[in-house]
Amino acid sequence: MSSEIKSQNKLAQGVLYVVATPIGNMDDMTPRAVNVLQTVDLIAAEDTRHSGQLLKHFMISTPLVSYHDHNERARTEQLIDKLLHGQQVALISDAGTPLVSDPGYQLVKAAQDKSIKVVPVPGVTAMIAALSAAGLPSDRFWFEGFLPHKKQARQQRLEELLKYSATVVCYESCHRIVACVEDLVALADNSRQITIARELTKTFETIKKDTAEELLAWLTADHNQQKGEFVLLIEGATKPKPEELPEDVLKVLDILLAELSVKQASQLASKITGYKKKQLYELALARKQG
């Protein structure tokens, strides 16, 4: 038994470990993660059949129970009861870090509400892996998770995301990647850089950065590039330079922003100053975001 688990066993109640697992390459499993999974009393997994292969690979014999979107509420109650009675529980997802576009939030919240200790065991997450190799600004980013499945809702959301000045990170499936890039061709300025990260850490890992138009041509020319799991990263919108507008116009905009929403402030500033609403809206949004 690991010293980490031994020390926690001294507590009257159990500890919930949130354990990251590989997204493809088994060598990315950390020794600490293996140690924790070997020594806890129970592992809650999104898909027990899928996770069973992981445990078999690392010779982990700890019992498994399912924990997914369809049984989250009932299973949370069961797991909290076990934790309150001193059992150590680990939470894992199919791949990567639990709760990052995967189940787990309800369990972590319930544990904290009962003053049960929650311990993260960090490791791989596709979002960060993609961001680190995307060649796009990473000092500020927005993680969107999965975009809406339906075309109209997806386009509406992309229109909003394209206004963000930070790099936007989305997950997408093989079934919708082409349609999503088609939407970006229609909505994004062709100078906007976009990175597709496909099958990260796996045999056919591919990372490609280009405009939406060029990426669409690349995807449609080779059907193999449409297979697998995708992370889509979109370059942030360029902030308008303050010097593009006179100082008195900026002052009016800042006064209005202190009291009104971005939309209301830019509309009223346009009426007062005579400058275009779109220009003032983009500048107001940039100033509001920091």
Side-chain angles (χ1 to χ4, degrees), residues 61-72:
S61 57
T62 306
L64 271 175
V65 294
S66 63
Y67 187 88
H68 47 69
D69 289 332
H70 303 296
N71 73 352
E72 194 169 10

Side-chain angles (χ1 to χ4, degrees), residues 20-38:
T21 57
I23 60 176
N25 191 324
M26 289 295 191
D27 289 342
D28 291 334
M29 186 76 164
T30 68
R32 183 184 176 205
V34 173
N35 214 353
V36 168
L37 294 182
Q38 285 175 334

Side-chain angles (χ1 to χ4, degrees), residues 45-237:
E46 189 176 358
D47 184 333
T48 55
R49 290 172 299 178
H50 179 89
S51 294
Q53 296 301 311
L54 174 78
L55 301 192
K56 183 179 179 181
H57 180 86
F58 290 102
M59 295 180 288
I60 298 168
S61 57
T62 306
L64 271 175
V65 294
S66 63
Y67 187 88
H68 47 69
D69 289 332
H70 303 296
N71 73 352
E72 194 169 10
R73 184 172 180 178
R75 189 69 84 196
T76 292
E77 294 177 4
Q78 296 168 8
L79 294 173
I80 292 297
D81 183 66
K82 291 180 182 298
L83 286 159
L84 289 171
H85 284 84
Q87 289 196 36
Q88 315 294 324
V89 177
L91 172 68
I92 62 175
S93 63
D94 283 351
T97 301
L99 280 76
V100 181
S101 286
D102 280 324
Y105 163 72
Q106 295 297 338
L107 179 58
V108 171
K109 181 180 183 299
Q112 291 179 340
D113 289 345
K114 295 290 185 180
S115 299
I116 295 167
K117 188 173 182 179
V118 179
V119 175
V121 181
V124 181
T125 177
M127 167 185 63
I128 298 299
L131 189 64
S132 70
L136 295 174
S138 56
D139 54 331
R140 294 174 65 243
F141 63 92
W142 173 272
F143 177 58
E144 179 68 10
F146 284 96
L147 291 163
H149 293 185
K150 294 186 178 179
K151 186 178 183 67
Q152 185 176 359
R154 184 174 61 246
Q155 288 180 336
Q156 288 176 345
R157 185 57 187 152
L158 281 171
E159 280 188 304
E160 289 301 312
L161 293 172
L162 287 167
K163 297 172 185 175
Y164 289 16
S165 57
T167 297
V168 174
V169 185
C170 308
Y171 287 164
E172 194 52 274
S173 78
C174 57
H175 307 294
R176 291 181 296 276
I177 186 62
V178 171
C180 182
V181 177
E182 285 176 341
D183 291 341
L184 286 168
V185 170
L187 298 170
D189 187 295
N190 198 43
S191 64
R192 188 79 68 98
Q193 290 292 295
I194 295 164
T195 298
I196 288 179
R198 183 181 77 90
E199 291 291 88
L200 288 171
T201 80
K202 302 183 181 77
T203 303
F204 298 105
E205 175 182 273
T206 308
I207 300 172
K208 186 171 179 63
K209 182 175 70 171
D210 214 319
T211 63
E213 196 171 283
E214 291 297 325
L215 288 174
L216 180 60
W218 170 69
L219 283 169
T220 53
D222 184 355
H223 187 74
N224 288 322
Q225 299 299 344
Q226 301 174 31
K227 297 177 181 178
E229 298 176 323
F230 293 83
V231 184
L232 189 70
L233 304 99
I234 306 168
E235 182 184 19

